[in-house]
Amino acid sequence: PPPTGASPGSGALSPFDRRLKRKQKNWAALQAEPAKCDYLREEVGAERAWRDTSGAGTFPLALDVGSGRGYIAQHLTKETVEKLVQVDIAENALKNATESEIPTVRVVADEEFLPFKEDTFDLVVSSLSLHWVNDLPKAFKEIHQVLKADGVFIGAMFGGDTLYELRCSLQLAELEREGGFSPHVSPFTAVADLGHLLSRAGFNTLTVDTDEIQVNYPGLFEVMEDLQGKYILCMGESNCSWNRKPLLHRETMLAAAAIYQEMYGNSDGSVPATFQIYYMIGWKYHESQAKPAQRGSATVSFGDLAKIEGLLKKGKK
C-alpha cells in the first residue's frame, strides 16, 4: 500500500487524513453509474489544458498523477502520447478506469511519493487530485524530478473560491446558532501562491490561470445532498481534514439555508455553487529552451513608446 500521510497530531503541516481519503476514493470508484456524478471531472478532463499538448509533438512516455478513472486519458491519442502510466492512491479507481487507445500501465501510489526514477517521463498531467495533497510543494518537486529535461507538467486543481457560497453560509449560521464555527469544506490553495510553488519546485516558462464552473440548485439542502451523494462521495471529494466536524445541528442547517438564499439566491429561486479551477503549465529546464535577455541589455526604453505613438500620428496626418 502507498504511504498514507501523517497522524492527527500533525497540525497545519498535514491537514488531511490520507487514509480516509483513500477509503473515500475506493468507495466512490465502486458506485453504480459514475457518469451521473462525474461530469465535473469529465468537463475539466476535456478542458483546453490537455489540448495544449497537441502542438508539442509526440510524448513517448506520459504520467497521469491522481488519474482516478482516467478522465484525461480518454482525451489523449496515440499521436500525442505513445505510452501512459496512471497513478492513484485508490486501487478501485484504477481497476474501474475507462479504456484508452494508448497502451497504459496502472500503479497504486501516493501523489506525494511517486515511485519512479528521475528523468523518466516526457509529460506529466494531473486533474483535480492535488488539492488533497498534504505537502503540495513536495508533490510539485516529485513531479519535477520524474520529468525529463524539456518535459512539461500540465495540471488542474480546485482553487481558493471553490464552494465559497456554502462555506460562508455555514460559517455565519454556526456563529449565530452555536457561537463558533468549524470547517465543513476543505482548505484550498490561493492562486497567488501557485506560481511561486511551481517556480520553487524548479519549473520555468510558467502559465497559471483560473476558470469557474457554476452549478445551480433549488437550495442549500440540495447542494449538500448532491455534494454528499454525487460530487463528494461518488467523486471521492468528501472533506478529510483532521479538524472536520462530523455533524451539523438541524437548527444550524435551517439557518444556513436561509442565509444561502438571502445572500446568493438567483432571481428564479435557485442558488449557485461555484467551483474554481486552477490550470497550470510548467516546463523542466533544458539548454535548448529560450532564455530571457540579460538585465540591462535592452536598447529601447519604455519612455520611447510615447515618442513612437506621436510619430505614428504624424505619419497618418
Side-chain angles (χ1 to χ4, degrees):
T4 49
S7 62
S10 300
L13 295 179
S14 297
F16 303 122
D17 183 347
R18 295 290 288 176
R19 288 186 178 88
L20 178 58
K21 176 49 56 187
R22 186 184 181 193
K23 289 180 180 178
Q24 290 170 348
K25 294 187 72 174
N26 271 322
W27 185 91
L30 296 178
Q31 301 310 297
E33 300 183 90
K36 287 186 177 181
C37 51
D38 273 356
Y39 62 84
L40 191 62
R41 289 187 181 278
E42 295 284 1
E43 182 171 344
V44 175
E47 250 299 339
R48 64 187 182 278
W50 325 120
R51 296 172 190 166
D52 288 343
T53 60
S54 59
T58 301
F59 298 94
L61 185 60
L63 172 66
D64 186 353
V65 177
S67 61
R69 295 192 310 105
Y71 306 100
I72 299 175
Q74 57 189 307
H75 300 288
L76 300 175
T77 65
K78 290 181 179 179
E79 289 72 28
T80 303
V81 174
E82 294 179 0
K83 187 175 182 179
L84 178 67
V85 178
Q86 293 179 319
V87 166
D88 200 278
I89 196 173
E91 58 271 22
N92 289 342
L94 296 175
K95 289 177 183 177
N96 291 278
T98 55
E99 294 299 322
S100 171
E101 66 177 39
I102 303 170
T104 302
V105 176
R106 299 182 176 99
V107 180
V108 180
D110 195 305
E111 294 92 333
E112 292 185 40
F113 305 92
L114 297 178
F116 306 106
K117 295 180 180 179
E118 293 185 34
D119 306 321
T120 299
F121 298 97
D122 306 278
L123 167 70
V124 176
V125 295
S126 181
S127 180
L128 301 186
S129 172
L130 293 176
H131 58 282
W132 286 124
V133 169
N134 275 316
D135 192 343
L136 189 58
K138 182 179 185 298
F140 284 151
K141 287 180 181 178
E142 290 268 330
I143 291 171
H144 183 269
Q145 182 172 299
V146 301
L147 272 174
K148 293 180 180 178
D150 204 30
V152 60
F153 167 56
I154 303 176
M157 61 187 291
F158 285 122
D161 285 337
T162 294
L163 296 175
Y164 72 88
E165 304 98 339
L166 178 62
R167 280 187 285 178
C168 290
S169 300
L170 289 172
Q171 287 175 5
L172 289 173
E174 277 193 299
L175 282 170
E176 177 190 344
R177 298 303 170 95
E178 302 179 32
F181 66 87
S182 59
H184 297 282
V185 179
S186 295
F188 296 104
T189 303
V191 68
D193 298 328
L194 198 55
H196 179 61
L197 291 175
L198 289 166
S199 180
R200 280 180 55 190
F203 291 101
N204 57 44
T205 319
L206 296 173
T207 301
V208 176
D209 63 356
T210 69
D211 194 9
E212 286 187 355
I213 298 175
Q214 192 173 90
V215 183
N216 292 321
Y217 297 89
L220 177 137
F221 290 102
E222 287 77 13
V223 174
M224 298 289 288
E225 181 181 1
D226 205 38
L227 289 173
Q228 291 172 357
K230 292 186 178 182
Y231 293 119
I232 287 183
L233 294 181
C234 284
M235 288 174 51
E237 286 299 318
S238 186
N239 187 358
C240 66
S241 301
W242 289 113
N243 60 347
R244 63 190 179 276
K245 186 177 180 179
L247 295 173
L248 278 168
H249 298 299
R250 176 175 174 79
E251 291 298 320
T252 302
M253 287 291 293
L254 291 172
I259 293 171
Y260 205 137
Q261 186 67 51
E262 179 66 26
M263 292 182 63
Y264 305 107
N266 298 317
S267 58
D268 61 358
S270 65
V271 295
T274 300
F275 299 86
Q276 185 174 30
I277 316 295
Y278 296 161
Y279 294 98
M280 66 204 92
I281 302 176
W283 295 79
K284 189 170 182 177
Y285 174 77
H286 187 268
E287 58 183 11
S288 65
Q289 294 173 352
K291 301 178 181 63
Q294 291 185 354
R295 185 167 183 153
S297 62
T299 57
V300 178
S301 169
F302 279 111
D304 295 332
L305 294 177
K307 298 178 183 178
I308 295 173
E309 186 178 357
L311 291 172
L312 290 173
K313 288 180 179 179
K314 290 181 179 179
K316 288 180 181 180
K317 290 179 181 180

